Structure formats: structure tokens, C-alpha cells
């Protein structure tokens, strides 16, 4: 990545994370809730730092987080032991992402967040999949696609 690409990536990551943080805090509206899900930061690193990687493709980002959130919430509801729930949610997410062809490593953190995220996250139930997970992923993707127009080679050319 040359200096121009690095600058574009840094600006894009900043914009995407600020937007995701803002909308998450407005919708979650809780002093005890995270302003941004940690896996969103990891996804920003991939989407802007490795935009041409397979794990940074649109379906991988959206699908990987969504399926992992579903697995995490399901394990939270079905398994009372946090360690066991987490230990099962991660491999279930991995298998689901594999079969759905949407491998996105930060999805593992999304599954864990559904389990250990605290009362605010737990109260969302399966709505956690939509907000903040799907919504944050969509914000990242939108900004990444907009920023890509300034890159020497647009990583989303063949996705459109």
C-alpha cells in the first residue's frame, strides 16, 4: 500500500467508525452500552487496511457478521454457561460462514459480544443482529465503497 492508499484508508476508517459509533450510540441510548461493537473496529481494519482481501468483500462483511451474531445470540439463549456458550458460538460461526461463503474473521468477536456484551446487548435479543451489527456493517461497507473511488484500483469493481 503506497502513501496515498494509506491516507485514503486511514480517512475512510475514521469516517466509518465515527458514523457507526454515532448511530450505535443514538439507537442503543444507554450509558452502559458500548458506543461501538469491538468487531466493527476489526472489520474497519480489514475493509480499509486490506481492501482487496477476500475477507473484505461485501458479502463476507455483511454475511459474516450477521450469521455470527445469530449464532452468538442463539448460544446465549440456549447455553447458560458463558464459557461454554462462547466456546460453541465461535466454531458454529466459523462453520456457518464457511458454508455460506462469507468468512470474515471479526465475526468471531461479534458472536462473543452477543454472549458477554452485557444487559443492553442481551436485552436486544435477535434485534442485535440488525442493530448494531447489520447496520454497522452496512455503514462500513458504504464508506469503504465511497472511499474506494479514490483508490488506484477499486476493490469493489468486480462486486458491482
Amino acid at each position: 500500500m503506497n502513501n496515498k492508499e494509506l491516507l485514503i484508508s486511514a480517512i475512510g476508517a475514521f469516517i466509518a467508525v465515527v458514523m457507526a459509533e454515532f448511530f450505535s450510540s443514538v439507537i442503543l441510548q444507554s450509558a452502559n452500552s458500548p458506543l461501538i461493537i469491538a468487531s466493527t473496529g476489526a472489520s474497519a481494519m480489514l475493509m480499509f487496511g486490506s481492501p482487496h482481501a477476500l475477507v473484505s468483500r461485501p458479502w463476507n462483511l455483511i454475511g459474516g457478521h450477521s450469521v455470527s451474531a445469530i449464532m452468538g445470540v442463539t448460544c446465549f439463549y440456549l447455553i447458560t454457561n458463558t464459557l461454554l456458550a462462547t466456546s460453541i458460538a465461535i466454531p458454529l460461526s466459523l462453520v456457518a460462514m464457511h458454508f455460506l461463503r462469507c468468512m470474515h474473521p471479526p465475526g468471531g468477536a461479534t458472536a462473543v459480544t452477543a454472549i458477554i456484551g452485557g444487559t443492553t446487548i442481551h436485552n436486544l435479543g435477535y434485534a442485535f443482529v440488525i442493530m448494531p451489527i447489520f447496520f454497522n456493517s452496512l455503514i462500513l461497507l458504504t464508506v469503504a465503497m465511497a472511499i474506494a473511488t479514490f483508490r488506484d484500483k477499486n476493490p469493489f469493481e468486480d462486486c458491482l
Side-chain angles (χ1 to χ4, degrees):
M1 189 180 298
N2 62 37
N3 289 339
K4 175 188 168 193
E5 292 280 320
L6 182 60
L7 180 62
I8 289 167
S9 294
I11 291 169
F14 172 78
I15 292 168
V17 171
V18 165
M19 289 176 64
E21 181 177 312
F22 172 76
F23 287 111
S24 291
S25 66
V26 166
I27 292 173
L28 293 178
Q29 297 178 348
S30 171
N32 296 327
S33 70
L35 293 177
I36 190 164
I37 303 301
S39 59
T40 302
S43 290
M45 294 297 287
L46 287 175
M47 297 302 293
F48 297 99
S50 298
H52 300 284
L54 291 176
V55 295
S56 299
R57 300 184 65 78
W59 170 239
N60 295 63
L61 171 71
I62 302 290
H65 277 298
S66 298
V67 73
S68 296
I70 292 167
M71 295 302 165
V73 172
T74 301
C75 287
F76 172 76
Y77 281 137
L78 297 178
I79 304 167
T80 57
N81 180 289
T82 302
L83 178 61
L84 185 59
T86 303
S87 299
I88 292 173
I90 293 171
L92 285 178
S93 297
L94 181 136
V95 169
M97 286 189 280
H98 171 78
F99 283 114
L100 294 171
R101 294 190 172 134
C102 60
M103 192 60 67
H104 189 69
T110 297
V112 171
T113 300
I115 297 164
I116 67 166
T119 306
T120 302
I121 299 295
H122 297 154
N123 288 341
L124 291 172
Y126 284 102
F128 173 73
V129 178
I130 304 301
M131 180 57 208
I133 298 305
F134 177 79
F135 198 63
N136 282 351
S137 298
L138 197 57
I139 289 170
L140 283 180
L141 179 58
T142 302
V143 174
M145 291 179 85
I147 291 296
T149 62
F150 297 101
R151 293 186 181 279
D152 295 333
K153 183 181 180 315
N154 186 334
F156 303 106
E157 282 176 334
D158 57 344
C159 298
L160 302 175

